[in-house]
Amino acid sequence: MLEIKDLTFRYSKRAPLVLDKISLTLNNGEIGVVLGKNGSGKTTLFKNILGIEKPDSGSITYDGKDLLKLSRGARAAYIAYVPQDIQFGDLTVFDTVLMGRMPYFGLKAGKEDETITLNILEDMGLSELVSRNANELSGGERQKIAIARALVQEPKLLVFDEPTGNLDIANEQLILKEAKRVAKEKGIGILTSLHDLNQALDLGTKFFFIKNGKIEYQGGPETVTETVIKEIFNADVEIIEHDNRRIIITR
Ligand code: ADP
């Protein structure tokens, strides 16, 4: 379980607080969606969890292990990151995904690293692409490769920044489906941010509403209400039921 307690952060001494006593928990296999306006602190929260930024105070643990005290390599066994803008080197799909094993192999990949890479590629239906140049593939395929590269790291938690940001609707569905599969079959926790509230409702099992660096609400789908959306985003919406699903429409 990911557990964050009283996490406080500012970018520099005199700068305003960006994260204000953030506390949250996310169980293994849960998909947590962080929701909040632009500039509310979502990316900064992820950067702190990933160790890109260091909190001023508070703690971040996974299954009781203090993530703030781990080296980059040791941390990689807990958390993997799927960035929004994926820049791959001029490598094949196989080598690109194999790179995700680097925290384990150091200089040269071994047989085990290659086997894990092949297994994940097969698991994700990417076997046919192994020899292709990763940069020549479509946005959806590249996003899947980024997920594969994160998964070979065998993390307990995946952090996804806006996973569907630049994708068309078919690829969007593909990535949401893949995220659900990873959480369900591998028991990996996923922490993500999404702009589209309907995608959030479709994907998330837990929701964190952040405003001015504070988590104002957290909980299951029942936490997502018209009142909460109004308060957090200052937007007027109506939530309707359709086919046993809740759909958010603008008013
Ligand atoms: P979100 O991801 O919710 O849009 P961010 O975490 O990117 O929000 O930003 C939160 C706040 O931190 C904003 O006020 C933003 O201007 C500020 N901020 C983000 N990155 C930096 C940085 N590198 N240096 C200083 N301030 C930053």
Side-chain angles (χ1 to χ4, degrees):
M1 181 174 78
L2 172 73
E3 195 167 10
I4 299 178
K5 270 197 202 139
D6 290 335
L7 182 70
T8 299
F9 175 82
R10 54 182 96 224
Y11 278 97
S12 61
K13 256 193 182 150
R14 298 228 171 99
L17 263 187
V18 177
L19 302 179
D20 189 357
K21 290 205 161 182
I22 297 256
S23 293
L24 65 83
T25 59
L26 188 77
N27 284 320
N28 302 1
E30 263 192 311
I31 303 180
V33 186
V34 183
L35 297 167
K37 279 187 182 175
N38 293 333
S40 56
K42 301 179 294 293
T43 307
T44 306
L45 172 63
F46 291 168
K47 283 185 186 165
N48 275 268
I49 296 171
L50 291 160
I52 300 167
E53 299 286 355
K54 253 194 155 26
D56 297 320
S57 59
S59 65
I60 306 176
T61 60
Y62 201 99
D63 289 343
K65 188 106 186 159
D66 186 350
L67 294 185
L68 298 173
K69 293 213 172 101
L70 295 182
S71 66
R72 247 184 98 205
R75 184 188 285 263
Y78 285 90
I79 302 186
Y81 179 47
V82 185
Q84 190 185 10
D85 291 313
I86 312 152
Q87 303 293 337
F88 293 131
D90 205 18
L91 295 171
T92 63
V93 168
F94 180 80
D95 285 341
T96 303
V97 175
L98 184 65
M99 283 304 175
R101 296 287 303 166
M102 216 144 91
Y104 295 100
F105 65 67
L107 287 179
K108 196 171 180 311
K111 257 261 132 343
E112 193 197 347
D113 301 308
E114 293 183 0
T115 308
I116 289 169
T117 300
L118 282 174
N119 286 344
I120 298 262
L121 284 166
E122 194 184 329
D123 210 27
M124 291 185 66
L126 292 169
S127 296
E128 281 176 18
L129 299 179
V130 286
S131 314
R132 297 276 300 277
N133 184 317
N135 276 327
E136 288 167 5
L137 301 174
S138 74
E141 286 166 334
R142 285 210 307 277
Q143 181 71 279
K144 269 185 97 171
I145 288 159
I147 299 174
R149 188 177 58 176
L151 286 178
V152 295
Q153 220 175 293
E154 301 185 312
K156 298 179 193 303
L157 179 76
L158 269 188
V159 176
F160 255 103
D161 206 354
E162 275 291 323
T164 56
N166 301 317
L167 300 178
D168 62 39
I169 185 161
N171 280 312
E172 228 172 68
Q173 286 174 338
L174 190 101
I175 296 306
L176 294 178
K177 203 170 140 210
E178 196 56 39
K180 285 182 197 170
R181 189 185 71 86
V182 163
K184 197 164 175 217
E185 291 180 13
K186 296 179 185 283
I188 293 177
I190 295 182
L191 193 63
T192 187
S193 62
L194 290 167
H195 277 302
D196 185 322
L197 293 175
N198 281 306
Q199 274 183 20
L201 262 186
D202 176 28
L203 182 68
T205 60
K206 191 161 186 184
F207 300 86
F208 305 100
F209 286 95
I210 185 170
K211 190 175 180 181
N212 300 327
K214 280 196 175 92
I215 303 261
E216 298 285 355
Y217 302 95
Q218 66 177 297
E222 73 286 350
T223 319
V224 185
T225 64
E226 292 162 5
T227 318
V228 167
I229 291 168
K230 173 77 185 170
E231 189 186 324
I232 298 293
F233 292 98
N234 197 23
D236 291 309
V237 300
E238 190 177 340
I239 301 183
I240 57 167
E241 291 258 351
H242 177 72
D243 269 357
N244 283 327
R245 279 176 66 183
R246 292 165 75 221
I247 313 238
I248 299 167
I249 52 174
T250 49
R251 270 209 294 226

